[in-house]
């Protein structure tokens, strides 16, 4: 099967969050299931800078008013098609926002172009290449399914994966005339969304199937509380909405070989984590003690429940906890964590900015990884934590619900617990969960058992990649060994 993946981010070329991890890891996982996946990605400077020798496979004289070209080649094990259009993508910093922190005003055009090119590739734009399916990720690729639906092919199929319902790519209706869609696409069955244009809505409406990244989130988004305006639409097509859990790249995230760690380890050498703990304490300016070390590696946003942590920091410090926070995001939340670090020198440390290596070290050295999200489509941080023996303390939503087994009495007795869950996502419930975690930590023997169980839990792509392959096969009418879907 030939599948074209289209996304705005792909690890290790360009990453602002979990989307990149998924689009970067899926192709290799799918290869084992008979799927050949190429990835179309914009030619941001970070991407262009990492390319080796590439072939120019197409040139555009008029790509939404600018020129561009397609470069194809293999980079870091990925089969890439890069959309090199400097007028759209050759900009400093983050792929989505300018230096002042505002969205680029022409984002509508930058990502319409990406999606339009994907659909053209699906129609055979490049000789010798004709994917059977286009797999579009998030709002930046959302228009792809609309271009295919209103285009000439009746066989090309589309999959739309929603990694986060909160980011939808909504614009005024005034851009419609420039989108290269026929007039009737500006309708409820097309790209129209509350009187304007919705890129994610277009994808969810027009794709042959919609997936999201965990079973629980796929149910949650059919409710008004989590659907963010798209719950009605998702309910209407509930037979073609699937929740397929994310996995992780088991080679890039392997505590036994990870070069970002001061000391590598396995479940049989957990004591080596102490060396990493000391390294984390050094990096975050924390005292060298054996206090329980809690950590956060996250965008600092309302979604991630960072304010719930802020509300509990003084209590946590009073209970003897150290806290290391790696992340950046909303200014107010950053400032609140910074103020807490100033109040509690040596006990609370903040490092802002994006640091992939340090994120590995934190997973390999901290005792607890906090993920108190208000909503979480899947969440990768808790999966990395499980793999690294860093106990996840998570809210019971979305993929966090599907991947962490709460250390309640029954789970402890049955010896299956892998972390701590709490609900609802409030500061009070988190406070209880912190105290519960500390009580568990005090029992060293059962804590270590819980670490080892987490390290053994299957967080790989194996079963989920097989589910994607099965979904692709069903779309193009291929039979597979296991044709069951839930
Ligand atoms: N300051 C920092 N330095 C280094 N690394 C940092 C960092 N801040 C965050 N990260 C890393 O960024 C990634 C975050 O991934 P998540 O899946 O947890 O959330 P995100 O909201 O980005 O993804 C969305 O898409 C993914 C993929 O489907 C879903 O799992 C998720 O629920 C959804 O919200 C992890 O790899 C984490 O280690």
């Amino acid at each position: 099967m030939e599948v074209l993946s289209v996304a705005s981010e792909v690890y290790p070329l360009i990453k602002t969050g979990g989307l990149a991890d998924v689009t970067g890891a899926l192709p290799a996982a799918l290869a084992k299931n008979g799927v050949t996946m190429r990835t179309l990605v914009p030619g941001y400077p970070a991407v262009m800078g990492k390319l080796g020798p590439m072939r120019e496979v197409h040139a555009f004289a008029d790509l939404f008013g600018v020129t561009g070209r397609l470069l194809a080649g293999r980079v870091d094990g990925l089969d890439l098609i890069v959309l090199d259009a400097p007028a759209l993508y050759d900009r400093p910093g983050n792929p989505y926002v300018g230096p002042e922190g505002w969205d680029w005003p022409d984002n509508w055009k930058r990502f319409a172009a990406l999606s339009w090119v994907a659909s053209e590739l699906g129609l055979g734009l490049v000789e010798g290449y004709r994917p059977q399916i286009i797999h579009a990720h998030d709002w930046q690729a959302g228009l792809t399914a609309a271009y295919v639906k209103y285009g000439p092919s009746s066989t090309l199929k589309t999959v739309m994966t929603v990694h986060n319902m909160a980011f939808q790519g909504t614009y005024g209706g005034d851009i419609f005339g420039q989108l290269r869609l026929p007039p009737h696409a500006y309708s409820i069955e097309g790209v129209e969304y509350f009187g304007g244009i919705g890129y994610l809505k277009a994808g969810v409406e027009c794709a042959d199937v919609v997936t999201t990244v965990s079973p629980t989130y796929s149910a949650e988004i059919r409710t008004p509380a989590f659907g963010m305006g798209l719950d009605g639409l998702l309910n209407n097509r509930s037979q073609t909405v699937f929740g397929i859990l994310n996995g992780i790249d088991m080679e890039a995230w392997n505590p036994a070989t990870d070069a970002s760690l001061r000391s590598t380890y396995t479940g049989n050498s957990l004591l080596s984590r102490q060396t990493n703990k000391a390294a984390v304490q050094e990096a975050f300016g924390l005292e060298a003690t054996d206090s329980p070390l809690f950590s956060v590696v996250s965008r600092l946003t309302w979604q991630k429940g960072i304010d719930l942590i802020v509300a509990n920091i003084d209590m946590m410090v009073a209970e003897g906890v150290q806290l290391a926070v790696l992340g950046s995001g909303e200014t107010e939340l950053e400032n609140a964590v910074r103020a807490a670090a100033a109040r509690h020198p040596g006990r609370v440390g903040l490092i802002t900015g994006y640091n992939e290596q340090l994120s590995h070290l934190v997973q390999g050295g901290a005792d607890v990884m906090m993920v108190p999200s208000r909503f979480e489509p899947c969440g990768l941080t808790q999966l990395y934590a499980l793999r690294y023996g860093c106990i996840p303390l998570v809210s019971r939503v979305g993929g966090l619900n599907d991947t962490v087994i709460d250390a309640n009495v029954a789970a402890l007795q049955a010896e299956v617990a892998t972390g701590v869950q709490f609900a609802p996502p409030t500061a009070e419930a988190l406070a209880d969960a912190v105290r519960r975690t500390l009580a568990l930590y005090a029992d060293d023997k059962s804590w270590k058992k819980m670490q080892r169980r987490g390290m053994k839990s299957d967080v790989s792509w194996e079963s989920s990649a097989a589910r994607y392959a099965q979904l692709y096969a069903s779309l193009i009418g291929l039979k597979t060994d296991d044709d069951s879907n839930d």
Side-chain angles (χ1 to χ4, degrees):
M1 285 180 282
E2 271 286 350
V3 182
L4 173 66
S5 168
V6 50
S8 169
E9 300 182 22
V10 59
Y11 182 82
L13 290 115
I14 175 82
K15 168 170 168 177
T16 71
L19 166 68
D21 289 358
V22 172
T23 57
L26 249 186
L30 284 166
K32 296 176 194 141
N33 291 271
V35 176
T36 307
M37 177 169 271
R38 289 188 191 188
T39 305
L40 174 67
V41 65
Y44 305 118
V47 173
M48 298 305 290
K50 291 185 188 116
L51 302 183
M54 302 288 278
R55 281 174 301 120
E56 181 175 317
V57 292
H58 190 80
F60 298 99
D62 175 14
L63 178 67
F64 290 70
V66 305
T67 57
R69 57 191 187 138
L70 290 175
L71 304 174
R74 245 185 118 68
V75 186
D76 283 319
L78 294 163
D79 263 323
L80 282 192
I81 303 177
V82 176
L83 177 53
D84 177 26
L88 299 177
Y89 307 121
D90 185 8
R91 300 178 190 183
N94 180 294
Y96 316 114
V97 297
E100 313 296 323
W102 301 105
D103 286 355
W104 295 111
D106 59 349
N107 273 351
W108 69 268
K109 190 197 290 185
R110 301 170 74 224
F111 297 111
L114 179 71
S115 303
W116 180 81
V117 168
S119 71
E120 291 293 301
L121 281 165
L123 296 174
L125 179 72
V126 172
E127 207 185 311
Y129 179 58
R130 193 155 193 141
Q132 296 152 292
I133 294 168
I134 306 183
H135 188 158
H137 296 271
D138 271 354
W139 73 268
Q140 299 92 343
L143 283 188
T144 307
Y147 288 121
V148 172
K149 173 174 173 173
Y150 295 102
S153 173
S154 56
T155 52
L156 182 60
K157 301 292 180 192
T158 50
V159 176
M160 176 79 228
T161 293
V162 180
H163 294 266
N164 197 334
M165 204 49 106
F167 303 113
Q168 299 201 352
T170 50
Y171 300 100
D174 53 320
I175 64 166
F176 181 75
Q178 298 176 72
L179 288 182
R180 302 184 171 184
L181 284 163
H184 61 286
Y186 191 53
S187 63
I188 286 188
E189 297 78 35
V191 303
E192 190 274 338
Y193 190 45
F194 293 117
I197 311 281
Y199 282 29
L200 186 66
K201 183 266 175 174
V204 169
E205 175 75 48
C206 301
D208 293 297
V209 296
V210 175
T211 72
T212 187
V213 288
S214 71
T216 296
Y217 193 59
S218 81
E220 287 171 344
I221 56 178
R222 289 177 221 163
T223 65
F226 291 89
M228 311 220 168
L230 289 172
D231 41 298
L233 172 52
L234 287 158
N235 274 316
N236 285 344
R237 58 169 310 173
S238 59
Q239 295 306 307
T240 47
V241 177
F242 303 95
I244 303 179
L245 206 56
N246 285 337
I248 67 170
D249 181 332
M250 300 288 277
E251 280 166 33
W253 293 89
N254 181 356
T257 56
D258 193 332
S260 302
L261 301 182
R262 189 174 282 180
S263 175
T264 54
Y265 58 93
T266 67
N268 294 326
S269 54
L270 283 173
L271 261 184
S272 300
R273 293 185 93 261
Q274 294 299 335
T275 314
N276 297 320
K277 183 168 176 173
V280 175
Q281 287 168 328
E282 260 171 49
F284 286 81
L286 303 176
E287 292 157 9
T289 66
D290 57 3
S291 317
L293 175 58
F294 284 46
S295 64
V296 176
V297 178
S298 180
R299 289 184 287 118
L300 303 182
T301 63
W302 184 85
Q303 171 196 342
K304 301 290 184 184
I306 302 302
D307 53 313
L308 309 182
I309 297 175
V310 167
N312 277 300
I313 288 182
D314 293 346
M315 177 279 282
M316 288 166 67
V317 172
E319 297 275 348
V321 168
Q322 284 186 327
L323 177 65
V325 180
L326 168 62
S328 48
E330 293 163 15
T331 314
E332 233 173 83
L333 291 172
E334 261 185 54
N335 287 342
V337 178
R338 194 170 290 118
R343 271 200 315 280
H344 303 292
R347 306 301 300 178
V348 177
L350 167 68
I351 295 183
T352 54
Y354 192 87
N355 188 332
E356 186 79 20
Q357 278 195 329
L358 187 56
S359 76
H360 286 237
L361 181 66
V362 173
Q363 296 281 12
D367 297 302
V368 177
M369 177 59 63
M370 302 179 82
V371 193
S373 306
R374 288 197 167 80
F375 64 95
E376 195 59 76
C378 177
L380 297 173
T381 320
Q382 85 282 6
L383 301 182
Y384 300 138
L386 287 168
R387 175 108 168 116
Y388 278 63
C390 183
I391 298 295
L393 191 182
V394 305
S395 52
R396 191 177 300 126
V397 294
L400 301 172
N401 179 45
D402 294 330
T403 54
V404 175
I405 302 175
D406 178 50
N408 60 36
V409 176
L412 284 170
Q413 273 173 5
E415 303 209 331
V416 293
T418 57
V420 175
Q421 287 188 340
F422 69 95
T426 61
E428 295 72 33
L430 175 58
D432 287 346
V434 167
R435 293 198 180 95
R436 204 149 62 81
T437 308
L438 287 172
L440 292 162
Y441 182 80
D443 181 348
D444 190 53
K445 211 166 146 207
S446 80
W447 183 264
K448 285 212 170 65
K449 275 191 186 169
M450 189 153 75
Q451 286 178 297
R452 286 194 192 100
R453 271 196 301 271
M455 293 177 81
K456 280 193 202 138
S457 52
D458 183 7
V459 290
S460 77
W461 270 109
E462 207 163 306
S463 61
S464 294
R467 294 230 29 217
Y468 277 115
Q470 193 189 318
L471 195 63
Y472 299 150
S474 69
L475 270 178
I476 56 173
L478 279 182
K479 289 261 172 283
T480 60
D481 295 344
D482 177 5
D483 260 340
S484 62
N485 266 328
D486 43 330

